[in-house]
Amino acid sequence: MSEPLGELEDLPQAYRDELKQAGVAPLWPMMRNVLPHGAPQPVTQAGYWNYDALRPLLLKAGELTPVEKAERRVLVLSDPGRGTGAMQATASIYLGMQLLLPGESAPAHRHTPSAVRIIVEGTGGYSVVDSERLPMEEGDLVLTPSGEWHDHGHDGNEPVVWLDALDLPVFVQLEGSYAVEGDLQPQRNRPDASEVEYKAAGLAPTRRPGHRARRFPMLRYPWTGTEAALRQMSAYGGDEIAELDYVNPETGEDILPTLGFTAMMFGAGQSQKPPLRSSSCAFHVIKGHGRTEVDGQVIDWGPKDTFTAPVFAAISHQAESEAFVIRIHDRPLQDKLGYYEERAR
Ligand SMILES: [Fe+2]
C-alpha cells in the first residue's frame, strides 16, 4: 500500500484561493475518489422491489394519470444508494415498471438509449418497432434498440405491465440522451421475425448475393421458446444451473451493444455462487421462489419481483422451488471498453 496522499487542507489558504481563481484544482486530494485501490467503490446498493407492493401503486397511477398526460406511465426503480427519484437502478441500468390499460396506446418515439421490455403480466399488449408488431406475452423479451421508432398498444381486457430495462444512465452521463416524437407507425401485416425468419435456433434466412440482415433482425424473444430451451439444458446440464444468453441470431453477439440478458433456470433447492463480476446487474423473477444474498443482504424473492446488485457484489442464490430468472447486466459494454472481469471467491 502506498503512502497516504496530501489533503486540500495541507495547502495554504492563499494558494487554494489562487487555484480557485484560475479554475483549477489539485488532483492528489481527490485522486483516491476516482482511482481507489484494487476495486471500484460503487455508489450503487442492492435493491429489492416486491411486485405485490408495486402493483397497486402502478394501478393507482393508471387511475390518477391518463396515458396522454404521461406519454409513458412508469414507476422508476431507483437505486437505494442514490435515493428515490434516481433515474437508475445501477450505474448503467435504468429500470422502470410500465402500465398500459386496455384500449390505451403510448405514442411513437425514438431515442438514443436502447430499451428491452420483459413482460410481467397481462395479455393483448403489443409493441410496434420499426413497423413490426411484437405481441407481448408474459416473460417475453421485446427489444427497442437505439434509434428505432416504437409505440405500444393494447387490445386485451386486463392491465398489461412490463419491466423496462434501458442503458439510459450511460447516455445521460455522455450527455447523449434525447428523443424524437412521431405518429403511430403503420404495422406490417405479418407475424414478427421470431415466428418467421428466426423460428428455430441455428437457422437464418438464406444468404443471397447482396443479402444484408437488419442490425437487430429479431426484436422479440418469446418466453415459451426460452423456457423450453432452459428445461432441455437443465435436463442434460448436470449440477450447474441452466443459463442461456439472449443473442442476435445473425451474429451471435449480445442483443444490445451495452446491456446483456441471461435467462436462468434453477431446479428446486438448487444454488449458485457466481464469481465476483465487474458488471452491475438486475434480476427479474419470471416464476418461482428463492433467496439471494447480495453482499450479506438477504433478499427473499418470488414471482415478478426484481432485485439488483452492484459491481463486484458477492452473490449467492438459493432456489426454494423450481425458478426462472432473467439477469440483466452491462457485461457487453464492459467487454467493449476492454475491462470486463470475473474474480474467484
Ligand atoms: Fe421509448
Side-chain angles (χ1 to χ4, degrees):
M1 194 66 71
S2 56
E3 288 285 303
L5 300 175
E7 294 179 11
L8 194 61
E9 290 70 29
D10 300 342
L11 300 169
Q13 184 61 51
Y15 177 63
R16 282 151 63 185
D17 292 345
E18 283 176 312
L19 290 177
K20 195 171 176 185
Q21 189 68 27
V24 293
L27 170 63
W28 56 97
M30 306 183 287
M31 196 162 82
R32 292 284 178 252
N33 299 345
V34 290
L35 288 172
H37 285 297
Q41 289 176 350
V43 174
T44 307
Q45 292 174 12
Y48 167 67
W49 293 269
N50 176 290
Y51 186 65
D52 292 337
L54 274 192
R55 188 177 190 276
L57 296 173
L58 200 51
L59 292 177
K60 190 82 181 168
E63 291 169 25
L64 295 172
T65 308
V67 74
E68 298 77 29
K69 288 254 178 182
E71 201 168 309
R72 297 291 190 270
R73 196 193 285 113
V74 178
L75 296 181
V76 176
L77 281 54
S78 292
D79 164 30
R82 293 176 169 86
T84 308
M87 289 285 279
Q88 57 199 107
T90 75
S92 59
I93 303 169
Y94 159 100
L95 297 175
M97 205 57 93
Q98 182 156 176
L99 169 72
L100 201 62
L101 294 171
E104 288 184 336
S105 65
H109 69 186
R110 60 192 175 103
H111 38 70
T112 45
S114 294
V116 165
R117 335 281 173 191
I118 299 173
I119 316 313
V120 179
E121 70 164 283
T123 56
Y126 61 88
S127 281
V128 185
V129 181
D130 190 23
S131 285
E132 188 169 53
R133 182 189 166 105
L134 310 164
M136 297 166 114
E137 303 292 337
E138 277 187 29
D140 287 1
L141 201 131
V142 169
L143 232 62
T144 62
S146 173
E148 301 271 357
W149 286 105
H150 56 281
D151 55 71
H152 310 295
H154 189 350
D155 290 341
N157 304 312
E158 300 152 7
V160 163
V161 177
W162 65 81
L163 178 72
D164 289 317
L166 279 80
D167 50 16
L168 179 70
V170 176
F171 283 76
V172 170
Q173 188 69 28
L174 292 171
E175 297 187 336
S177 184
Y178 69 95
V180 178
E181 287 76 33
D183 297 328
L184 290 181
Q185 302 161 79
Q187 297 168 25
R188 281 192 288 276
N189 183 25
R190 45 154 283 169
D192 71 274
S194 73
E195 303 294 337
V196 187
E197 291 90 342
Y198 304 100
K199 182 70 181 164
L203 294 175
T206 188
R207 271 70 169 155
R208 296 206 168 86
H211 164 85
R212 278 190 67 185
R214 290 190 293 174
R215 195 156 75 100
F216 299 98
M218 195 164 109
L219 296 166
R220 172 176 174 245
Y221 292 72
W223 176 253
T224 47
T226 308
E227 181 174 329
L230 283 171
R231 285 190 183 283
Q232 197 70 355
M233 282 283 287
S234 176
Y236 293 96
D239 294 336
E240 299 246 319
I241 74 148
E243 288 186 299
L244 289 168
D245 287 343
Y246 289 86
V247 298
N248 179 319
E250 287 283 349
T251 65
E253 291 173 3
D254 298 294
I255 52 174
L256 289 180
T258 46
L259 297 184
F261 294 78
T262 303
M264 308 164 70
M265 176 184 170
F266 296 86
Q270 211 170 8
S271 62
Q272 189 200 44
K273 213 170 174 176
L276 305 179
R277 295 173 169 130
S278 58
S279 52
S280 66
C281 63
F283 297 90
H284 180 70
V285 183
I286 303 293
K287 299 186 219 181
H289 290 85
R291 167 175 287 202
T292 295
E293 254 189 70
V294 180
D295 289 333
Q297 182 180 334
V298 176
I299 296 166
D300 285 304
W301 45 262
K304 306 180 191 300
D305 291 353
T306 306
F307 56 99
T308 53
V311 300
F312 288 109
I315 298 171
S316 305
H317 301 291
Q318 174 78 48
E320 282 168 31
S321 62
E322 179 183 86
F324 295 88
V325 176
I326 295 179
R327 185 166 69 91
I328 305 162
H329 54 85
D330 54 3
R331 195 259 306 138
L333 176 61
Q334 296 193 356
D335 269 344
K336 290 180 180 70
L337 295 174
Y339 79 98
Y340 177 72
E341 181 195 357
E342 295 186 353
R343 295 184 188 176
R345 305 171 61 170

